[in-house]
């Protein structure tokens, strides 16, 4: 495979197929071989794939310095420049999805459509799962569900025997992990202008689906697709489904933007996600705009009816003061959100959350059900119920 110099490294890359360019950015430790042959063959039938190894992975140069995710986005943009490709679709998976987010923010003129696979926004708004398999070599359990492993043992053994020698090790892996730790787009996702597709497996233990739900609530022009019975390695375990979803998204016309923006489920998720983020600030006046009055907040202790803005501030001042005494830092969604459109102007968000203090200790674990109403094209909360988490199936 050829190499090309980009900045301070020589990038190992491979081009498959023709037509519109699609830059593929791989995740932590892995090389371009980890996409799986079937998946890349299917995509190459319709697109010109630019596959490459990140710095400190595969056959690309080892870095002689520390770096961050934004630097890795510079590598990706530099590769396109070196190949004289002015603009491309970009698909990033896992840490590659973090790099792709930074690419979208730093190089919007080089980006056509954006695809984010099983990834996170980083910072305080994300929930990283179990990635110990990267360190201890137990990659099958990291990437696939037990049934798939059981039914494909020999095939997986052969696949991993070819790909594992190209994975990052030692100092190279340490540098990549440190870089991944710098990723934080919690406050900038709304600045991503590209049409975006988010893909994830419903049984991903490495980067749980809740992270994709959050991305879908915050990126403006987005479509979320959940692949059933898939984990972190869905490109290998479900190549046909994943390739079809990507191809359909990429071939859709640019005016598909309106269809995505008008998806009520995405709009409901986005409104709730913005409220959840704002609540973490513990400033009562800032949550008031998220309610359509009169509204209700029901807990195990009380039923609060809020008739006006003053009522909202009083109710949340009491609630937030209690959290401040307990040194509250943040809330995190556990598992997946269930979003339902009840009618043309009503929707519901159901889920489970945990609250943590500044020491990272859990202080509360609760279920919630929020009902929203669409008022003047904006989804606002009319009722919130906090209840026992055991009443929901995703409470673990």
């Amino acid at each position: 495979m050829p190499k090309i110099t980009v900045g301070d490294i020589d990038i190992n890359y491979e081009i498959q197929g023709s037509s519109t360019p699609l830059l593929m950015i791989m995740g932590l430790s892995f090389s371009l071989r980890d996409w799986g042959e079937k998946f890349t063959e299917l995509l190459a039938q319709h697109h010109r794939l630019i596959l490459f190894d990140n710095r400190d992975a595969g056959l690309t140069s080892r870095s002689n310095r520390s770096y961050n995710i934004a630097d890795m986005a510079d590598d990706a943009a530099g590769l396109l420049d070196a190949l004289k490709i002015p603009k491309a679709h970009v698909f990033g998976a896992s840490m590659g999805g973090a790099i792709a987010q930074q690419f979208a923010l730093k190089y919007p003129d080089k980006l056509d459509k954006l695809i984010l696979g099983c990834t996170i926004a980083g910072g305080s708004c994300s929930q990283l799962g179990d990635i110990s398999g990267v360190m201890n070599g137990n990659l099958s359990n990291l990437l696939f569900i037990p049934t798939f492993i059981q039914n494909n043992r020999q095939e997986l053994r052969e696949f991993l025997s070819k790909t594992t020698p190209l994975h990052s090790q030692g100092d190279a892996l340490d540098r990549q992990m440190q870089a991944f730790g710098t990723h934080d787009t919690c406050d900038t996702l709304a600045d991503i202008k590209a049409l975006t597709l988010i893909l994830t497996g419903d049984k991903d233990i490495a980067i749980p689906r809740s992270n994709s739900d959050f991305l879908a609530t915050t990126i403006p022009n987005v479509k979320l697709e959940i692949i059933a019975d898939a984990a972190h390695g869905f490109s290998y375990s479900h190549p046909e489904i994943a390739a079809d979803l990507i191809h359909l998204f990429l071939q859709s016309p640019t005016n598909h933007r309106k269809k995505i923006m008008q998806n009520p489920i995405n709009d409901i998720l986005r409104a709730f996600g913005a409220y959840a983020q704002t609540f973490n600030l513990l400033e009562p006046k800032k949550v008031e705009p998220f309610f359509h009055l009169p509204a209700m907040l029901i807990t195990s202790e009380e039923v609060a009816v809020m008739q006006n803005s003053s009522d909202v501030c009083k109710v949340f001042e009491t609630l937030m003061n209690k959290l401040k005494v307990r040194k509250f830092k943040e809330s995190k969604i556990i598992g997946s959100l269930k979003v339902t459109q009840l009618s043309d102007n009503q929707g519901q968000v159901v889920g489970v959350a945990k609250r943590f203090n500044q020491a990272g200790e859990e202080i509360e674990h609760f279920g919630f059900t929020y009902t929203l109403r669409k008022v003047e094209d904006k989804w606002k909360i009319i009722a919130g119920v906090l209840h026992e988490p055991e009443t929901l199936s995703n409470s673990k």
Side-chain angles (χ1 to χ4, degrees):
M1 289 180 286
K3 291 186 179 182
I4 195 165
T5 301
V6 175
D8 60 347
I9 58 172
D10 293 329
I11 293 182
N12 177 65
Y13 72 97
E14 179 179 312
I15 294 179
Q16 297 181 18
S18 57
S19 189
T20 55
L22 171 58
L23 182 68
M24 309 274 284
I25 309 180
M26 182 42 77
L28 178 69
S29 175
F30 288 5
S31 80
L32 61 84
R33 293 297 176 213
D34 286 280
W35 292 109
E37 291 183 9
K38 180 66 172 179
F39 181 60
T40 55
E41 287 173 0
L42 290 169
L43 287 178
Q45 292 176 8
H46 305 283
H47 308 283
R48 181 188 179 196
L49 303 191
I50 303 103
L51 310 168
F52 73 102
D53 296 332
N54 289 312
R55 62 172 61 217
D56 277 329
L59 300 178
T60 288
S61 303
R62 298 298 172 260
S63 183
N64 56 13
R65 61 180 177 85
S66 60
Y67 48 89
N68 57 35
I69 291 293
D71 293 326
M72 300 181 83
D74 294 340
D75 294 340
L79 175 60
L80 291 182
D81 289 341
L83 296 174
K84 296 182 169 41
I85 299 174
K87 194 172 188 178
H89 302 304
V90 173
F91 175 27
S94 193
M95 185 182 75
I99 298 168
Q101 291 168 53
Q102 298 286 352
F103 184 101
L105 293 165
K106 293 190 71 173
Y107 301 100
D109 293 340
K110 295 181 182 293
L111 176 63
D112 195 340
K113 292 182 180 180
L114 177 65
I115 305 165
L116 303 175
C118 53
T119 192
I120 60 174
S124 62
C125 61
S126 299
Q127 177 191 6
L128 193 62
D130 181 5
I131 62 169
S132 59
V134 175
M135 281 69 77
N136 63 28
N138 190 4
L139 295 176
S140 291
N141 289 335
L142 172 76
L143 297 172
F144 310 112
I145 66 172
T147 303
F148 183 81
I149 296 171
Q150 182 178 352
N151 295 336
N152 299 273
R153 289 192 183 279
Q154 183 57 35
E155 180 185 331
L156 285 176
R157 192 176 295 113
E158 294 174 359
F159 172 66
L160 293 174
S161 70
K162 295 177 182 177
T163 56
T164 301
L166 296 170
H167 293 173
S168 304
Q169 298 180 6
D171 292 345
L173 178 58
D174 290 342
R175 285 190 293 269
Q176 279 207 346
M177 293 189 67
Q178 290 168 5
F180 199 7
T182 68
H183 175 58
D184 184 354
T185 53
C186 294
D187 298 326
T188 54
L189 286 172
D191 296 328
I192 294 177
K193 305 305 180 186
L195 290 177
T196 304
L197 172 66
I198 298 173
L199 295 175
T200 193
D202 65 346
K203 294 180 172 60
D204 192 335
I205 65 168
I207 297 182
R209 175 198 157 168
S210 57
N211 294 284
S212 293
D213 291 334
F214 175 78
L215 293 171
T217 67
T218 314
I219 298 173
N221 307 307
V222 68
K223 183 176 184 180
L224 173 63
E225 295 282 2
I226 309 299
I227 302 176
D229 296 321
H232 203 59
F234 66 76
S235 69
Y236 184 85
S237 63
H238 295 68
E240 293 89 354
I241 295 173
D244 283 347
L245 289 171
I246 290 171
H247 175 57
L248 289 171
F249 173 70
L250 294 182
Q251 74 172 358
S252 63
T254 303
N255 62 11
H256 187 52
R257 176 187 303 267
K258 292 184 179 180
K259 181 178 179 182
I260 294 176
M261 292 183 71
Q262 292 176 357
N263 185 330
I265 297 298
N266 287 340
D267 288 345
I268 294 167
L269 267 172
R270 188 175 298 115
F272 177 78
Y275 162 73
Q277 276 193 289
T278 303
F279 182 93
N280 281 352
L281 301 176
L282 297 188
E283 297 180 30
K285 289 184 179 180
K286 291 191 176 181
V287 300
E288 185 272 330
F290 292 95
F291 286 85
H292 176 56
L293 302 173
M296 298 178 67
L297 184 65
I298 303 171
T299 70
S300 59
E301 299 175 351
E302 63 176 329
V303 177
V305 179
M306 300 174 287
Q307 298 285 352
N308 51 48
S309 299
S310 177
D311 288 343
V312 176
C313 289
K314 287 179 182 178
V315 168
F316 279 90
E317 184 175 11
T318 300
L319 174 59
M320 291 174 174
N321 282 341
K322 291 179 180 178
L323 291 174
K324 288 178 181 177
V325 170
R326 302 176 73 181
K327 300 187 182 300
F328 168 84
K329 179 183 179 182
E330 61 182 338
S331 299
K332 292 185 179 181
I333 304 299
I334 307 301
S336 303
L337 294 175
K338 180 182 179 182
V339 185
T340 306
Q341 186 180 3
L342 303 174
S343 66
D344 288 343
N345 68 342
Q346 290 189 0
Q348 193 173 73
V349 180
V350 179
V352 173
K354 290 184 178 181
R355 288 177 176 149
F356 298 87
N357 62 21
Q358 295 170 8
E361 300 166 333
E362 180 184 326
I363 57 177
E364 285 185 325
H365 182 196
F366 60 95
F368 58 83
T369 301
Y370 280 89
T371 302
L372 295 87
R373 180 186 293 277
K374 190 175 184 181
V375 182
E376 296 179 352
D377 291 327
K378 292 184 178 179
W379 288 93
K380 295 198 173 187
I381 298 167
I382 57 174
V385 182
L386 307 185
H387 46 80
E388 293 298 323
E390 289 76 14
T391 60
L392 299 175
S393 61
N394 60 346
S395 62
K396 294 180 180 180

